[in-house]
């Protein structure tokens, strides 16, 4: 019988020197001021967003060792974070404002805070330009302002892409009103990372009922669906150079691309949905030409190799998901993956250098 690849990582294993740089691409930070805004939103109790209220109601107040550690790590983009990176062999972190970022705020607060957060992180990057890079936050609540802020952050602050923490007050980027964001990213030739937050109000109820709304599963439902909405909307026919990055081994989508292609073609042909226009290509083609996938949160060789096989090794990137999944053993496990030296270097280093222009 074939030996099964173990699920999980060996305790105590430490990463050693490697013939590649390790560049982690979905690494979270939070200026302390954003915790204050979240506390105010929760305190006022007026935000009708069960995902945010549940997730941040917990993360902001829980005294558990894990959440205390996460809160504390999140605001440090300096010595402590660098020490954690050194301990786990991470050479570079590509940083993004933790979910849901500004996207739960009212429009004016969101526009103001995205600028603040971009200036805040640009300063931290400037202090350690060989260890940190960062993505730009923006406020989809005001798409024109978001496009302007993306341009400012990329051209003046040197940020390397855009972070969108999935839905904005229950709305998704396939809505054409948000397309100034796609237009700006495509014109500047920078990727958009779609990161999870709690599923939107319309999606979350049965997940909440069994504690599945968070990173265990609900996050992937939210971002997997968001990504498919964008693909089937025809956005990539309109913006053929646009590049989107998703984490958590492509939110499981690569595994069923065959069925997505088959059922998409059948659905379009049947005329069942007025909301499903014909596309120039198959859904899987957009996956291979417009989507990058990271392994964030999944330090496990089989799905990583599977993505390399079906999407191409140049489409698969490394991420640690610090501080939510900070475990030095995970890096050691990935160093040990059975994979060609060439593919492993693309995974850990050169794909990130190319996609984020590091
Ligand atoms: C968790 C993970 C929570 C991630 C997050 O936001 C988050 C978690 C509060 O483990 O509950 O962004 N994550 O990025 O994986
Ligand atoms: Mn994450």
């Amino acid at each position: 019988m074939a030996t099964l690849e173990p699920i999980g990582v060996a305790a105590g294993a430490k990463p050693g020197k490697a013939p590649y740089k390790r560049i982690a691409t979905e690494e979270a930070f939070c200026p302390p001021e954003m915790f204050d805004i979240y506390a105010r939103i929760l305190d006022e109790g007026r935000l009708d967003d069960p995902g945010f209220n549940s997730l941040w109601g917990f993360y902001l107040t829980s005294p558990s060792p894990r959440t205390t550690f996460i809160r504390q790590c999140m605001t440090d983009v300096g010595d402590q974070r660098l020490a954690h990176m050194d301990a786990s062999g991470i050479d570079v972190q590509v940083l993004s404002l933790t979910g849901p970022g500004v996207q739960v705020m009212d429009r004016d607060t969101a526009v103001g805070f995205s600028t603040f957060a971009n200036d805040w992180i640009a300063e931290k990057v400037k202090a350690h330009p060989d260890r940190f890079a960062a993505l730009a936050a923006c406020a989809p609540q005001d798409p024109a302002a978001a496009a302007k802020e993306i341009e400012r952050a990329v051209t003046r602050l040197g940020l390397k892409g855009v972070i969108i923490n999935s839905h904005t007050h229950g709305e998704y980027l396939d809505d054409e009103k948000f397309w100034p964001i796609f237009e700006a990213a495509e014109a500047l030739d920078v990727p958009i990372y779609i990161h999870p937050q709690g599923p939107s109000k319309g999606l979350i109820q049965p997940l909440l009922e069994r504690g599945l709304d968070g990173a265990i599963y609900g996050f992937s439902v939210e971002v997997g669906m968001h990504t498919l909405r964008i693909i089937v909307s025809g956005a990539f026919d309109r913006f053929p150079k646009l590049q989107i990055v998703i984490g958590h081994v492509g939110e499981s989508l690569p595994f069923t691309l065959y069925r997505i292609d088959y059922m998409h073609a059948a659905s379009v042909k049947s005329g069942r949905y007025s909301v499903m226009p014909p596309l120039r290509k198959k859904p899987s083609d957009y996956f291979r030409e417009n989507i990058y996938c990271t392994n964030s949160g999944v330090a496990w060789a089989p799905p990583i190799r599977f993505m390399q096989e079906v999407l191409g090794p140049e489409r698969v990137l490394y991420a640690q998901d610090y501080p939510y999944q900070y475990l030095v053993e995970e890096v050691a496990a990935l160093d040990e993956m059975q994979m060609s030296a060439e593919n492993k270097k693309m995974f850990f280093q050169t794909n990130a250098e190319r996609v984020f222009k590091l």
Side-chain angles (χ1 to χ4, degrees), residues 109-272:
T109 309
V111 170
F113 199 81
S114 60
T115 302
F116 174 85
N118 292 338
D119 289 341
W120 192 90
I121 197 62
E123 278 300 308
K124 308 286 184 192
V125 171
K126 211 195 276 173
H128 300 279
D130 53 332
R131 305 300 303 278
F132 296 132
L135 307 183
C138 70
Q141 294 93 325
D142 184 338
K148 266 178 126 169
E149 177 58 15
I150 291 167
E151 189 185 0
R152 184 189 78 95
V154 171
T155 61
R156 297 218 222 133
L157 303 179
L159 303 195
K160 302 297 187 184
V162 180
I163 179 73
I164 299 282
N165 287 296
S166 203
H167 75 84
T168 303
H169 295 303
E171 297 186 307
Y172 294 89
L173 294 179
D174 55 288
D175 186 325
E176 291 195 26
K177 75 178 177 186
F178 295 122
W179 289 11
I181 294 170
F182 288 165
E183 198 178 347
E186 190 190 50
L188 292 159
D189 193 25
V190 294
I192 298 176
Y193 203 122
I194 303 186
H195 185 276
Q197 60 154 311
S200 61
K201 181 177 157 68
L203 190 59
I204 199 172
Q205 191 52 36
L207 294 157
L208 262 179
E209 283 169 10
R210 196 49 92 181
L212 295 173
D213 53 296
I216 184 175
Y217 186 66
F219 281 18
S220 276
V221 174
E222 164 72 17
V223 174
M225 183 196 70
H226 195 166
T227 305
L228 273 184
R229 283 183 63 127
I230 292 168
I231 290 175
V232 305
S233 75
F236 290 121
D237 288 341
R238 175 96 161 263
F239 304 103
K241 296 210 173 93
L242 178 64
Q243 297 296 324
I244 287 181
V245 187
I246 56 176
H248 318 100
V249 292
E251 311 297 2
S252 300
L253 293 173
F255 199 61
T256 57
L257 284 177
Y258 178 98
R259 192 169 208 247
I260 291 168
D261 278 353
Y262 186 97
M263 290 302 172
H264 178 260
S267 300
V268 170
K269 196 163 172 225
S270 72
R272 179 173 167 195

Side-chain angles (χ1 to χ4, degrees), residues 26 55-56 59 66 70 98-99 195-196 215 219 248 321 324-325:
E26 189 199 298
L55 194 67
W56 278 98
Y59 268 96
R66 178 171 185 260
I70 287 170
T98 199
H195 185 276
F219 281 18
H248 318 100
D321 221 344
Y324 293 105
Q325 248 171 292

